[in-house]
Amino acid sequence: MSLLVILLSVGAACCTGFGFVLQQDAARRAPQSDFLSPRLLLDLMRVPSWLAGIGLMICGMALGAFALGQGEVSVVEPLLATNLLFALALARFFTGQRLGRQGWGGLWLLAGGVTAFLLAGQPSGGEAVTEPLRHWLVIGVVVGLALVLTAFARHPRTPWAPAMLGLAGGLLYGLQDALTRVCALRFDEGGLGALFTGWQPYALVVMGVTSLILVQSAFEAGPLRMSLPALTAAQPLAGIVCGIGFLGDQVRTDTGALAWQAAGLAAIVTGIVLLGLHPAMPEGKDRHGSTAADRLMLDGPHESG
């Protein structure tokens, strides 16, 4: 692990976390008819806060791509999961909510889990798998799971739609990160000619648009605390599976190391859930399509007594 990879990954997480908060704040006001439709992106393009959030996300993706070009997916992905820390920091700034036990507990679990996984696994690069069957099997499983989750969440009134779409978007984000690493390797080996003669950069464009629609629909369908934990947990898990599955990433496999890696991943997921459910995370629409602020304005103040 180089210091440059760590700094690039944490910088990417910072931009992405801030961007998610701004995107959700805009997406929660979008019409329900835009759910899972490309029209959602067209409508959101008129909202300045959403454009600012997308700009931050693009910066995060660029920093993440540089990190993936310098380091292994199994190293970068756990660090990218810290985006939730930065999302909570911005949400806390907006709401003035204190961290409390839940916030501090989630913070230490997430940070400790990332540290435990990286130190125990000591991820390192290896020879990329050239066997097409294994390559497509891993990709097929990740994409297939994303499609199944999207199918179950296709109605915006489904109670778990935000979480399922967050999971689907996170899976595709993890696969995108792995394919970004493949593109970087192809560019290093043969320049632009080798890069654009492969299918990977074109698949990245398709998955980028698809995952963006999924994530914005998740933000539209419910509170950030329902969608962001699922998204943040799924991305590193999918990225690590792809890294080991077809990019040749290697981790220690002795019993002690595997136990610490499993504990680290469990701590990461638990920390993500605790932080994502923190009261500082913005509320979204309820199942009737209104926000908490909207209901307060409609109901007006209630007199006591």
Side-chain angles (χ1 to χ4, degrees):
M1 285 186 293
S2 71
L3 180 60
L4 177 62
V5 171
I6 294 174
L7 292 176
L8 287 172
S9 301
V10 174
C14 176
C15 292
T16 304
F18 288 168
F20 281 152
V21 174
L22 294 176
Q23 290 169 45
Q24 196 271 343
D25 184 62
R28 68 187 177 89
R29 299 184 178 92
Q32 288 285 354
S33 59
D34 286 354
F35 186 72
L36 286 178
S37 168
R39 291 195 309 272
L40 176 59
L41 300 184
L42 296 176
D43 286 340
L44 289 174
M45 285 178 185
R46 305 170 186 171
V47 184
S49 62
W50 186 82
L51 293 175
I54 287 295
L56 283 168
M57 190 179 76
I58 291 173
C59 290
M61 291 173 65
L63 291 172
F66 282 122
L68 290 165
Q70 301 292 323
E72 287 70 41
V73 175
S74 300
V75 173
V76 175
E77 286 295 344
L79 294 171
L80 292 179
T82 60
N83 73 73
L84 198 59
L85 299 178
F86 298 99
L88 181 62
L90 183 59
R92 181 174 175 270
F93 175 77
F94 286 155
T95 62
Q97 183 80 36
R98 298 179 64 182
L99 281 179
R101 292 181 180 178
Q102 180 177 342
W104 283 111
L107 187 154
W108 285 112
L109 279 171
L110 178 54
V114 170
T115 303
F117 178 82
L118 294 178
L119 291 180
Q122 296 180 7
S124 59
E127 291 294 326
V129 177
T130 57
E131 182 184 354
L133 178 60
R134 181 170 168 180
H135 196 106
W136 288 108
L137 180 61
V138 175
I139 294 176
V141 168
V142 174
V143 173
L145 282 174
L147 289 174
V148 169
L149 288 165
T150 304
F152 278 112
R154 64 185 180 275
H155 196 285
R157 304 292 186 184
T158 304
W160 291 100
M164 288 188 287
L165 291 175
L167 279 172
L171 290 172
L172 292 185
Y173 276 158
L175 179 56
Q176 282 178 245
D177 291 339
L179 292 182
T180 299
R181 172 69 173 162
V182 174
C183 290
L185 293 173
R186 289 180 66 90
F187 179 78
D188 290 341
E189 292 173 0
L192 289 175
L195 175 61
F196 289 109
T197 53
W199 56 269
Q200 291 86 355
Y202 309 103
L204 279 176
V205 174
V206 174
M207 279 195 297
V209 175
T210 303
S211 58
L212 188 60
I213 293 174
L214 291 177
V215 170
Q216 301 308 314
S217 295
F219 290 165
E220 178 194 13
L224 197 63
R225 65 188 65 167
M226 289 186 67
S227 56
L228 193 53
L231 189 160
T232 307
Q235 181 175 355
L237 295 178
I240 291 170
V241 167
C242 292
I244 296 174
F246 61 81
L247 281 172
D249 288 3
Q250 298 176 353
V251 295
R252 291 175 57 192
T253 55
D254 56 277
T255 305
L258 287 176
W260 277 105
Q261 290 171 62
L265 288 175
I268 290 172
V269 173
T270 305
I272 285 171
V273 172
L274 286 176
L275 291 173
L277 295 177
H278 194 276
M281 285 296 179
E283 293 186 8
K285 295 176 181 176
D286 62 17
R287 295 187 62 188
H288 301 286
S290 61
T291 64
D294 295 334
R295 293 194 301 273
L296 183 61
M297 292 177 64
L298 289 172
D299 296 340
H302 296 281
E303 295 182 2
S304 59

